[in-house]
């Protein structure tokens, strides 16, 4: 045996160790390279790998109006594709080629904007290349369209035989279009996430809970096995009334177009509950059309102007420093206030002179209100601001809408030396008339609603219930704002209700009133500051407001209308007041749901008023209504042949219809007592032109009955509602 030589073996082991160390170093280097330099690439590769399980999106809950009408709902939408490899594997290539023309004509019938030839060219390209995910149409389609496509030749054989397949999406739809759009909110469509409004505020309730599907590969295909089923979102029932919302929106847009306004806001609140029945935010876009871009009603911090005067006078009355007999000198409409001039709107016409406290609100006198407040609070302005806080105007209402703001009303402060740090001598007079403060429209409305509600401030309510499968699972009851169960003494509230009613009946708010019911409220016209430029830079912008409630003697609804416009003319009462009038009258008309029988007592005889005119037609209508008539005529009975006469009530609970003696075509008929339509028809049928003045029934005719008609004559008819 040869002798073992360890010195010869050791170099071999050393070389091997070096090689292994080098390989290990290369592996580590490669690993670091992949982890750092190639991280993005391999992350993308990982994203393309089939996952063992996937999330299943639930159906988002609906947003409903106060009476259960759909305002926002999730409906399925589809993107449709062809898998031509699957079509080939199913050995249906020849069938496809035979039916391609029929398929393309069917697609053209469904999508007429694209010709059948274009469909054929597009689908043939995918067929030739055996594409597995070839789009049939480049946009999403609704469920009905999806079902129509499924009925086309070859495609109707099903997914395995034709290769037709679809991707399903949950699309948010609004049956009423943009109605209350900014308040309801929006969704980021592709991400299915809430963007703003109630969609965002109640997202956790609406979105539901995702499910989980386990994916198992069998025979080179994935089968879906449900592990955790998705839980669909619940519905929320809002306080919005669709008809009131539509009415308010149309009223605001009509006025904005009439005066070329920039922004229009209207909010309608139910007095007893604080329910927001309508909320409008219209803004003029670059193309001249009005759309909802921002929720100005809850976010705009602007100086409110004269609608704030109500709060100022309420504080003074509640503190007992003045009463309704107080009189104030306003001079000729201009009054010096600590180096600045306070002006009334009619200063060029000589002002109001000496007026009472209620009259200062009725005519919205800047001098009157500011002098009353300055005389009694100049040395203790903090007491006045404390009173304003007591009214709830500065309270954070905790609204569920992202972007909402609470009012900014500063409290006077002094330093250690007793000097004001944030106050000036002019601050109090100008604050008392609605400047030096910033209040969103909804806070102002909540204050006026409290006056209408006898002093109880209700928190604005947007959602009243959460409903799941028809069952109410959560209630949001009406809520009184904490600390504002009574914003002023009951007697003070009653006085203010009366003053606000007089503002409309005999003050600057007349255009907001109605002949059918009483309205109470206050006008406001304020210059809008332009930041550092102040109020004097080019064209002046105005905030025009009217806030109030109706019917004034038994308040049911409160409402505020705010319009921003550039330049003159600018009038809170004449512009915002008109919108308030239209909204109030429209709501009251919609709210009249009384049966005519409710107005009938046991002693009454229900006999309508009937105008003179075509009494044969009147007889026909009255008989259909079941009302007795006493006919006094002879002649034709064809309803198409008019018999002219008069209609009178008699003592027997019926209507007597008597024909007037006919005159020849050349003589003027007697049309006294007739409606305008019948009178004009009868006279012009004899070749005489008519001119009308007034409204109602004819009380006077310029050409007397029996007058011989001459060619070219004109008869002036005077009408009156008597």
């Amino acid at each position: 045996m040869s002798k073992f030589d360890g010195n010869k073996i050791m170099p071999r082991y050393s070389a091997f160790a070096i090689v292994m160390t080098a390989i290990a170093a290369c592996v580590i280097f490669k690993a670091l390279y992949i982890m750092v330099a190639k991280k993005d690439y391999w992350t993308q590769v990982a994203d393309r790998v089939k996952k063992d399980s996937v999330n299943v999106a639930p159906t988002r809950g609906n947003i409903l109006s106060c009476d259960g009408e759909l305002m926002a709902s999730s409906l399925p939408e589809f993107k449709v594709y062809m898998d031509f490899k699957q079509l080939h594997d199913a050995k249906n290539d020849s069938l496809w080629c035979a039916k391609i023309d029929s398929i393309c004509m069917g697609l053209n019938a469904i999508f007429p904007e694209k010709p059948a030839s274009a469909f054929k060219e597009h689908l043939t390209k995918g067929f030739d290349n055996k594409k597995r995910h070839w789009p049939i149409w480049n946009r999403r389609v609704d469920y009905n369209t999806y079902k129509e496509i499924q009925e086309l030749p070859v495609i109707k054989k099903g997914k395995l035989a034709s290769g037709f397949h679809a991707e399903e999406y949950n699309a948010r739809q609004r049956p009423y279009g943009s109605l209350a759009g900014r308040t309801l909110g929006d969704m980021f469509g592709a991400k299915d996430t809430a963007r703003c409004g109630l969609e965002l505020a109640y997202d956790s309730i609406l979105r539901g809970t995702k499910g989980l599907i386990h994916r198992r590969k069998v025979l080179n295909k994935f089968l879906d096995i449900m592990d955790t089923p998705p839980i669909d979102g619940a519905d929320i029932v809002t306080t919005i009334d669709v008809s009131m919302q539509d009415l308010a929106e149309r009223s605001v847009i009509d006025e904005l177009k009439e005066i070329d306004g920039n922004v229009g806001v209207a909010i309608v609140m139910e007095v007893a509950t604080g329910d927001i029945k309508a909320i409008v935010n219209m803004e003029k876009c670059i193309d001249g059309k009005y759309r909802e871009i921002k929720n100005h009603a809850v976010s705009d911090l602007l100086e409110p102007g004269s609608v704030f005067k109500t709060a100022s006078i309420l504080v003074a009355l509640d503190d007992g420093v003045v009463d309704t007999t107080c009189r104030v000198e306003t001079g000729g409409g201009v009054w010096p206030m600590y180096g600045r001039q306070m002006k009334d709107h009619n200063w060029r016409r000589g002002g109001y002179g000496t007026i009472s406290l209620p009259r200062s609100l009725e005519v919205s006198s800047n001098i009157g209100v500011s002098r009353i407040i300055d005389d009694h609070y100049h040395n203790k302005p903090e007491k006045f601001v404390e009173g304003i806080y007591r009214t709830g105007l500065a309270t954070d209402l905790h609204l569920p809408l992202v972007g909402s703001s609470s009012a900014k009303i500063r409290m006077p402060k002094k330093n250690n030396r007793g000097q004001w740090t944030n106050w000036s001598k002019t601050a109090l007079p100008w604050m008392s008339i609605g400047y030096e403060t910033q209040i969103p429209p909804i806070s102002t409305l909540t204050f006026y609603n409290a006056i209408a509600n006898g002093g109880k401030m209700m928190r604005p309510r947007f959602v009243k219930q959460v409903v799941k499968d028809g069952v109410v699972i959560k209630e949001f009851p009406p809520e009184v704002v904490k600390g504002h169960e009574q914003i002023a003494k009951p007697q003070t509230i009653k006085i203010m209700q009366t003053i606000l009613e007089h503002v409309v009946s005999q003050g600057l708010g007349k255009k907001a009133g109605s002949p059918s019911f009483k309205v109470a409220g206050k006008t406001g016209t304020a210059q809008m500051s332009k930041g550092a430029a102040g109020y004097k830079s080019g064209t002046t912008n105005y905030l025009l407001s009217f806030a109030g409630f109706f019917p004034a003697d038994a308040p049911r609804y409160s409402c505020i209308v705010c319009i921003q416009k550039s330049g003159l003319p600018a009038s809170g009462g004449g512009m915002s007041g008109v919108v308030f009038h239209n909204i109030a009258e429209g709501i009251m008309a919609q709210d009249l749901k009384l049966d005519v029988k409710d107005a009938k007592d046991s002693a009454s005889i229900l006999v309508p008023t009937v105008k003179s005119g075509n009494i044969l037609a009147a007889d026909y209508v009255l008989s259909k209504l079941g009302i007795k008539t006493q006919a006094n005529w002879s002649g034709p009975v064809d309803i198409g042949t008019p018999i002219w006469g008069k209609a009178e009530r008699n003592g027997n609970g019926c209507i007597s219809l008597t024909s007037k003696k006919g005159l020849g075509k050349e003589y003027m008929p007697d049309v006294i007592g007739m409606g305008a339509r019948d009178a004009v028809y009868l006279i012009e049928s004899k070749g005489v032109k008519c001119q009308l003045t007034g409204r109602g029934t004819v009380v006077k005719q310029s050409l007397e009955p029996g007058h011989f008609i001459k060619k070219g004559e004109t008869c002036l008819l005077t009408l009156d509602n008597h």
Side-chain angles (χ1 to χ4, degrees), residues 10 24 36 66 193 292 497 540 642:
M10 284 303 293
V36 179
C66 64
T193 54
E292 291 215 351
Q497 288 175 341
T540 303

Side-chain angles (χ1 to χ4, degrees), residues 260-282:
D260 192 25
N262 302 323
V263 176
V265 168
I267 318 171
V268 178
M269 181 185 286
E270 193 171 64
V271 169
T273 62
D275 285 2
I276 301 299
K277 310 305 290 184
I279 179 167
V280 179
N281 298 277
M282 285 297 158

Side-chain angles (χ1 to χ4, degrees), residues 63 69-73 75 172-179:
I63 299 179
E69 295 188 53
L70 271 177
M71 299 196 77
S73 179
L75 299 175
R172 206 64 170 161
Q173 301 290 335
R174 290 186 191 159
Y176 291 98
S178 62
L179 208 65

Side-chain angles (χ1 to χ4, degrees), residues 663-670 686 688 701-711 713-715:
L663 295 170
K665 186 174 181 179
E666 66 274 18
Y667 295 98
M668 177 60 60
D670 183 2
K686 295 181 177 293
V688 178
Q701 58 184 93
S702 62
L703 300 178
E704 295 295 329
H707 169 80
F708 184 80
I709 296 172
K710 298 176 183 177
K711 187 176 181 180
E713 282 190 300
T714 299
C715 182

